[in-house]
PDB file of all heavy atoms in Angstrom:
ATOM      1  N   VAL A  25      21.388 -31.843  -6.307  1.00  0.00           N
ATOM      2  CA  VAL A  25      21.342 -31.434  -4.889  1.00  0.00           C
ATOM      3  C   VAL A  25      22.556 -30.572  -4.561  1.00  0.00           C
ATOM      4  O   VAL A  25      22.443 -29.534  -3.884  1.00  0.00           O
ATOM      5  CB  VAL A  25      21.273 -32.681  -3.964  1.00  0.00           C
ATOM      6  CG1 VAL A  25      21.499 -32.303  -2.515  1.00  0.00           C
ATOM      7  CG2 VAL A  25      19.927 -33.366  -4.119  1.00  0.00           C
ATOM      8  N   LEU A  45      28.039  -5.528   5.506  1.00  0.00           N
ATOM      9  CA  LEU A  45      28.653  -4.391   4.831  1.00  0.00           C
ATOM     10  C   LEU A  45      27.884  -3.100   5.129  1.00  0.00           C
ATOM     11  O   LEU A  45      28.480  -2.058   5.449  1.00  0.00           O
ATOM     12  CB  LEU A  45      28.665  -4.658   3.327  1.00  0.00           C
ATOM     13  CG  LEU A  45      29.684  -3.901   2.514  1.00  0.00           C
ATOM     14  CD1 LEU A  45      31.085  -4.331   2.901  1.00  0.00           C
ATOM     15  CD2 LEU A  45      29.456  -4.174   1.018  1.00  0.00           C
ATOM     16  N   GLY A  63      34.565  18.771  15.504  1.00  0.00           N
ATOM     17  CA  GLY A  63      35.730  19.591  15.145  1.00  0.00           C
ATOM     18  C   GLY A  63      37.044  18.947  15.530  1.00  0.00           C
ATOM     19  O   GLY A  63      38.092  19.587  15.501  1.00  0.00           O
ATOM     20  N   LEU A  75      34.853  10.555   2.772  1.00  0.00           N
ATOM     21  CA  LEU A  75      34.066  11.755   2.500  1.00  0.00           C
ATOM     22  C   LEU A  75      32.828  11.423   1.667  1.00  0.00           C
ATOM     23  O   LEU A  75      31.743  11.959   1.876  1.00  0.00           O
ATOM     24  CB  LEU A  75      34.911  12.779   1.745  1.00  0.00           C
ATOM     25  CG  LEU A  75      35.905  13.556   2.580  1.00  0.00           C
ATOM     26  CD1 LEU A  75      36.760  14.433   1.674  1.00  0.00           C
ATOM     27  CD2 LEU A  75      35.188  14.433   3.606  1.00  0.00           C
ATOM     28  N   GLY A  81      25.161  10.744   2.213  1.00  0.00           N
ATOM     29  CA  GLY A  81      24.227  10.338   3.273  1.00  0.00           C
ATOM     30  C   GLY A  81      23.232  11.437   3.589  1.00  0.00           C
ATOM     31  O   GLY A  81      23.134  12.431   2.869  1.00  0.00           O
ATOM     32  N   ALA A 130      24.183  21.549 -14.971  1.00  0.00           N
ATOM     33  CA  ALA A 130      24.374  20.984 -16.312  1.00  0.00           C
ATOM     34  C   ALA A 130      24.311  19.456 -16.226  1.00  0.00           C
ATOM     35  O   ALA A 130      23.672  18.794 -17.053  1.00  0.00           O
ATOM     36  CB  ALA A 130      25.716  21.429 -16.865  1.00  0.00           C
ATOM     37  N   ALA A 159      17.469  25.881  -9.425  1.00  0.00           N
ATOM     38  CA  ALA A 159      16.731  24.686  -9.012  1.00  0.00           C
ATOM     39  C   ALA A 159      15.244  24.874  -9.314  1.00  0.00           C
ATOM     40  O   ALA A 159      14.578  23.942  -9.790  1.00  0.00           O
ATOM     41  CB  ALA A 159      16.938  24.437  -7.525  1.00  0.00           C
ATOM     42  N   ARG A 161      13.936  26.600 -11.672  1.00  0.00           N
ATOM     43  CA  ARG A 161      13.721  26.466 -13.118  1.00  0.00           C
ATOM     44  C   ARG A 161      13.726  24.990 -13.536  1.00  0.00           C
ATOM     45  O   ARG A 161      12.866  24.558 -14.300  1.00  0.00           O
ATOM     46  CB  ARG A 161      14.824  27.221 -13.875  1.00  0.00           C
ATOM     47  CG  ARG A 161      14.502  28.698 -14.083  1.00  0.00           C
ATOM     48  CD  ARG A 161      15.398  29.286 -15.162  1.00  0.00           C
ATOM     49  NE  ARG A 161      16.807  29.214 -14.817  1.00  0.00           N
ATOM     50  CZ  ARG A 161      17.434  30.100 -14.033  1.00  0.00           C
ATOM     51  NH1 ARG A 161      16.775  31.128 -13.537  1.00  0.00           N
ATOM     52  NH2 ARG A 161      18.707  29.972 -13.768  1.00  0.00           N
ATOM     53  N   ARG A 187       7.470  32.557  -5.044  1.00  0.00           N
ATOM     54  CA  ARG A 187       8.447  33.295  -5.855  1.00  0.00           C
ATOM     55  C   ARG A 187       8.409  32.883  -7.330  1.00  0.00           C
ATOM     56  O   ARG A 187       9.226  33.344  -8.122  1.00  0.00           O
ATOM     57  CB  ARG A 187       9.848  33.138  -5.276  1.00  0.00           C
ATOM     58  CG  ARG A 187      10.384  31.723  -5.292  1.00  0.00           C
ATOM     59  CD  ARG A 187      11.831  31.720  -4.821  1.00  0.00           C
ATOM     60  NE  ARG A 187      12.419  30.424  -4.949  1.00  0.00           N
ATOM     61  CZ  ARG A 187      12.847  29.686  -3.913  1.00  0.00           C
ATOM     62  NH1 ARG A 187      12.733  30.132  -2.678  1.00  0.00           N
ATOM     63  NH2 ARG A 187      13.396  28.518  -4.130  1.00  0.00           N
ATOM     64  N   VAL A 189       5.478  33.005  -9.221  1.00  0.00           N
ATOM     65  CA  VAL A 189       4.162  33.389  -9.749  1.00  0.00           C
ATOM     66  C   VAL A 189       4.234  33.665 -11.252  1.00  0.00           C
ATOM     67  O   VAL A 189       3.391  33.183 -12.028  1.00  0.00           O
ATOM     68  CB  VAL A 189       3.594  34.596  -8.964  1.00  0.00           C
ATOM     69  CG1 VAL A 189       2.317  35.105  -9.603  1.00  0.00           C
ATOM     70  CG2 VAL A 189       3.337  34.197  -7.523  1.00  0.00           C
ATOM     71  N   ILE A 220      -3.507  36.041  -9.923  1.00  0.00           N
ATOM     72  CA  ILE A 220      -3.892  34.617  -9.813  1.00  0.00           C
ATOM     73  C   ILE A 220      -5.397  34.469 -10.027  1.00  0.00           C
ATOM     74  O   ILE A 220      -5.856  33.593 -10.759  1.00  0.00           O
ATOM     75  CB  ILE A 220      -3.465  34.052  -8.438  1.00  0.00           C
ATOM     76  CG1 ILE A 220      -1.944  34.105  -8.335  1.00  0.00           C
ATOM     77  CG2 ILE A 220      -3.968  32.636  -8.249  1.00  0.00           C
ATOM     78  CD1 ILE A 220      -1.408  33.754  -6.972  1.00  0.00           C
ATOM     79  N   ALA A 235      -8.368  21.526 -15.866  1.00  0.00           N
ATOM     80  CA  ALA A 235      -7.973  22.922 -15.666  1.00  0.00           C
ATOM     81  C   ALA A 235      -9.102  23.716 -15.013  1.00  0.00           C
ATOM     82  O   ALA A 235      -8.847  24.581 -14.161  1.00  0.00           O
ATOM     83  CB  ALA A 235      -7.578  23.541 -17.000  1.00  0.00           C
ATOM     84  N   ARG A 241     -10.191  25.643  -7.561  1.00  0.00           N
ATOM     85  CA  ARG A 241      -9.373  25.578  -6.341  1.00  0.00           C
ATOM     86  C   ARG A 241      -8.569  26.870  -6.154  1.00  0.00           C
ATOM     87  O   ARG A 241      -8.415  27.366  -5.042  1.00  0.00           O
ATOM     88  CB  ARG A 241      -8.403  24.390  -6.386  1.00  0.00           C
ATOM     89  CG  ARG A 241      -9.039  23.017  -6.358  1.00  0.00           C
ATOM     90  CD  ARG A 241      -9.947  22.773  -5.183  1.00  0.00           C
ATOM     91  NE  ARG A 241      -9.345  23.025  -3.879  1.00  0.00           N
ATOM     92  CZ  ARG A 241      -8.627  22.148  -3.185  1.00  0.00           C
ATOM     93  NH1 ARG A 241      -8.436  20.946  -3.675  1.00  0.00           N
ATOM     94  NH2 ARG A 241      -8.128  22.460  -2.014  1.00  0.00           N
ATOM     95  N   HIS A 253     -19.511  34.955  -9.606  1.00  0.00           N
ATOM     96  CA  HIS A 253     -20.279  34.469 -10.757  1.00  0.00           C
ATOM     97  C   HIS A 253     -19.541  33.319 -11.455  1.00  0.00           C
ATOM     98  O   HIS A 253     -20.162  32.410 -12.003  1.00  0.00           O
ATOM     99  CB  HIS A 253     -20.552  35.625 -11.731  1.00  0.00           C
ATOM    100  CG  HIS A 253     -19.312  36.169 -12.387  1.00  0.00           C
ATOM    101  ND1 HIS A 253     -18.397  36.956 -11.706  1.00  0.00           N
ATOM    102  CD2 HIS A 253     -18.819  36.015 -13.639  1.00  0.00           C
ATOM    103  CE1 HIS A 253     -17.401  37.272 -12.537  1.00  0.00           C
ATOM    104  NE2 HIS A 253     -17.652  36.726 -13.704  1.00  0.00           N
ATOM    105  N   ILE A 281     -23.236  33.585  -0.238  1.00  0.00           N
ATOM    106  CA  ILE A 281     -24.271  33.877  -1.238  1.00  0.00           C
ATOM    107  C   ILE A 281     -24.544  32.642  -2.109  1.00  0.00           C
ATOM    108  O   ILE A 281     -25.629  32.464  -2.637  1.00  0.00           O
ATOM    109  CB  ILE A 281     -23.810  35.063  -2.132  1.00  0.00           C
ATOM    110  CG1 ILE A 281     -23.720  36.309  -1.258  1.00  0.00           C
ATOM    111  CG2 ILE A 281     -24.711  35.283  -3.317  1.00  0.00           C
ATOM    112  CD1 ILE A 281     -23.044  37.480  -1.913  1.00  0.00           C
ATOM    113  N   ALA A 320     -34.076  19.879   3.348  1.00  0.00           N
ATOM    114  CA  ALA A 320     -34.570  18.782   4.183  1.00  0.00           C
ATOM    115  C   ALA A 320     -35.746  18.055   3.558  1.00  0.00           C
ATOM    116  O   ALA A 320     -35.930  16.857   3.790  1.00  0.00           O
ATOM    117  CB  ALA A 320     -34.960  19.311   5.550  1.00  0.00           C
TER     118      ALA A 320
END
Side-chain angles (χ1 to χ4, degrees):
Chain A
V25 169
L45 203 65
L75 283 175
R161 274 197 299 277
R187 64 174 186 244
V189 173
I220 297 172
R241 294 304 306 274
H253 66 286
I281 295 169

